[in-house]
Amino acid sequence: MDSALPREAGQLLRDARRVVVFTGAGISAESGVPTFRDDLTGLWARFDPQRLATAEAFHADPDLVWGWYEWRRARVSRAEPNAGHRAISIIQNRAPECTVVTQNVDDLHERAGSHKVIHLHGSLFAPRCVAAAHPAAFAPVSGNATPDEGRPVPPPRCASCAALVRPGVVWFGEALPEAALTAAVEAAAECDVLLTVGTSGVVYPAAEIPGIAARVGATVIQVNPEPTPLDRVAAINVRGTAAHVLPALVASAWQETVET
Ligand code: BJW
């Protein structure tokens, strides 16, 4: 395992004019939010994506799907950003230009201080109706009560058109939000350094983003404890976790300490 942070990673980050930070579920793992594909702890080790993360699944059993997302929303609401999220917010403050592009549906980047975060796969906090995509309100998560992960919960009805309300996330087979994808592709095509953190790099079209940056000559730096298909795209692969490696990267680039 190559966990040492190469010196040039900090130098490249410090010297970059345009940085893109591209994140996946691994950035939130040390906040207690499960990833999808990790062998024992990932969501897909315990839940079948075909029954929970497709429009067909919602159509077939809206209560099951809504209940599962309510369980996840409650879990994320109680989670706190970790040192990896905080390091990314510092990178955004220090670099002349820095765009954060995430596949995550949580709000931990924002709560760590990052701004204008591009969410490629939507948000747990932006439900909408199935008929006309009217935005919908949801009940706040109260106290420490966690809904049972398997308990069906009937979704609310849209206040405007009475259609069912669905989670505001992008399921398999659905198009990504066009403005978000366009902004992410443009940022990747114009950056000097792209830092990819905590993604398995297997879900498309999001997984193309690091390759777009590499093709225009940007240096891709990957932070992940495990190998991924992005290893061959990245010029620098740092094997380690986000909450360990990213503060070290910020210290190396700007001698700034990230609160751990
Ligand atoms: C750590 C760590 C620590 C752990 N620190 N790291 C081309 C080829 C093949 C297939 C396709 C293709 N193009 C499209 C497809 C189909 C499909 C797809 O890609 N399938 C593949 C899985 C085969 N794509 C789609 O369906 C997309 N839509 C689409 O293409 O539409 C076309 C269309 C166009 C026009 C009209 C209509 C349609 C949509 C994809 C939506 C993905 N949705 C999900 C669920 C979101 C909602 C929810 O949260 O429930 O998004 S799936 C899930 O995967 C989620 C994630 O954002 C996404 C990526 O996962 P991520 O973030 O990489 O997590 P993991 O778990 O995979 O990896 C975690 C990593 O962290 C690991 O590497 C760990 O090692 C690491 N790690 N701890 C740092 N502490």
Side-chain angles (χ1 to χ4, degrees):
M1 181 141 118
D2 168 28
S3 61
L5 181 66
R7 185 188 297 260
E8 73 259 39
Q11 280 166 0
L12 282 159
L13 196 58
R14 187 181 56 236
D15 295 344
R17 291 209 53 74
R18 291 175 172 165
V19 176
V20 169
V21 183
F22 175 65
T23 66
I27 182 74
S28 298
E30 285 153 289
S31 294
V33 179
T35 64
F36 294 91
R37 296 175 182 79
D38 281 295
D39 283 349
L40 297 175
T41 53
L43 290 170
W44 297 159
R46 289 190 297 139
F47 302 101
D48 176 0
Q50 294 307 323
R51 288 188 65 217
L52 293 162
T54 67
E56 293 75 21
F58 185 71
H59 184 69
D61 195 341
D63 298 13
L64 178 74
V65 173
W66 183 261
W68 190 65
Y69 278 94
E70 281 296 275
W71 167 67
R72 286 180 53 204
R73 183 168 68 85
R75 220 176 144 159
V76 164
S77 295
R78 287 200 320 274
E80 295 295 336
N82 64 56
H85 297 103
R86 286 192 285 280
I88 289 170
S89 145
I90 291 175
I91 294 170
Q92 222 181 13
N93 285 334
R94 288 289 197 152
E97 260 184 58
C98 174
T99 306
V100 178
V101 178
T102 188
Q103 297 163 84
N104 297 347
V105 296
D106 67 44
D107 59 351
L108 296 178
H109 281 303
E110 287 88 346
R111 285 201 265 141
S114 286
H115 52 89
K116 294 188 190 161
V117 179
I118 296 174
H119 284 267
L120 291 177
H121 293 160
S123 163
L124 287 171
F125 302 95
R128 61 177 192 271
C129 79
V130 292
H134 294 127
F138 50 79
V141 174
S142 56
N144 280 328
T146 311
D148 177 351
E149 64 187 38
R151 185 169 62 90
V153 178
R157 294 266 170 191
C158 176
S160 305
C161 69
L164 284 182
V165 168
R166 58 160 282 178
V169 302
V170 181
W171 284 323
F172 288 112
E174 294 187 323
L176 276 59
E178 200 180 325
L181 184 58
T182 302
V185 167
E186 283 176 5
E190 290 170 355
C191 71
D192 316 306
V193 168
L194 184 140
L195 181 60
T196 174
V197 183
T199 178
S200 57
V202 298
V203 176
Y204 285 83
E208 288 169 355
I209 302 284
I212 292 170
R215 279 196 292 281
V216 298
T219 304
V220 175
I221 303 171
Q222 177 173 230
V223 176
N224 198 309
E226 301 294 333
T228 80
L230 296 173
D231 285 14
R232 60 177 182 271
V233 175
I236 300 176
N237 280 295
V238 189
R239 297 265 185 266
T241 73
H244 279 96
V245 173
L246 295 181
L249 188 57
V250 164
S252 161
W254 298 288
Q255 289 74 52
E256 188 158 341
T257 304
V258 178
E259 190 193 323
T260 51

